[in-house]
């Protein structure tokens, strides 16, 4: 997975492969993903999520949200994938999730998403 050269808006590749699945990267993700979120970090989150569930955004669209803690940012990163699991919609640091993660509050994640799955971060 090579990150293309160019402006910040072109820094994510067209596809990212994680856990043997190649997903397209949406135009929204290319345009609006924070500049310090790289393809490698997105791949890490998709491979090492500790919480994952079905969430609804402010425009009533569903997506599968993956959260993982990264040492590069010292925060939780949220990656949203389309319901058909074919497109990475967006990715960003999630400071609210980080606060709840640090406080051991699973309830925050349960209130955000349905069908919540949790993995032991120590087993990854």
């Amino acid at each position: 997975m090579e990150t293309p050269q160019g402006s910040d808006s072109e820094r994510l590749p067209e596809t990212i492969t994680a856990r043997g699945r190649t997903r397209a990267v949406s135009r929204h993700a290319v345009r609006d993903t924070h500049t310090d979120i790289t393809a490698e970090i997105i791949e890490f989150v998709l491979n090492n999520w500790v919480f994952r569930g079905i969430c609804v955004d402010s425009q009533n669209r569903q997506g599968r949200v993956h959260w993982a803690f990264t040492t590069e940012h010292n925060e939780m990163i949220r990656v949203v994938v389309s319901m058909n699991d074919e497109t990475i919609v967006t990715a960003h640091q999630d400071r609210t999730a980080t606060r709840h993660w640090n406080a051991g509050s699973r309830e925050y994640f349960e209130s955000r998403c349905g069908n919540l799955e949790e993995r032991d971060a120590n087993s990854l």
Side-chain angles (χ1 to χ4, degrees):
M1 165 182 31
E2 208 170 294
T3 303
Q5 300 297 314
S7 70
D8 285 342
S9 65
E10 298 172 330
R11 71 190 156 57
L12 291 177
E14 291 181 10
T15 62
I16 294 175
T17 301
R19 292 192 153 241
R21 180 156 183 90
T22 299
R23 296 173 181 91
V25 177
S26 73
R27 288 179 57 137
H28 172 76
V30 170
R31 253 191 349 260
D32 296 334
T33 294
H34 299 172
T35 57
D36 56 346
I37 301 294
T38 64
E40 290 78 14
I41 290 171
I42 292 171
E43 179 183 353
F44 176 85
V45 172
L46 293 173
N47 285 332
N48 299 286
W49 56 268
V50 292
F51 288 107
R52 174 173 78 173
I54 310 291
C55 299
V56 178
D57 70 11
S58 61
Q59 295 177 355
N60 210 32
R61 295 174 298 202
Q62 285 187 329
R64 182 173 297 279
V65 177
H66 303 75
W67 283 278
F69 188 85
T70 66
T71 55
E72 295 92 337
H73 293 91
N74 202 30
E75 288 190 300
M76 295 291 279
I77 304 296
R78 176 179 16 188
V79 175
V80 181
V81 175
S82 63
M83 288 302 295
N84 64 7
D85 201 26
E86 293 181 3
T87 306
I88 296 166
V89 178
T90 192
H92 58 85
Q93 296 169 320
D94 190 334
R95 290 179 180 92
T96 303
T98 301
R99 279 195 311 276
H100 288 278
W101 168 259
N102 288 335
S105 174
R106 185 181 197 278
E107 293 78 24
Y108 168 77
F109 299 94
E110 289 174 333
S111 71
R112 300 274 303 142
C113 296
N115 297 44
L116 189 69
E117 299 174 68
E118 181 178 2
R119 294 197 301 197
D120 180 1
N122 294 323
S123 69
L124 299 174

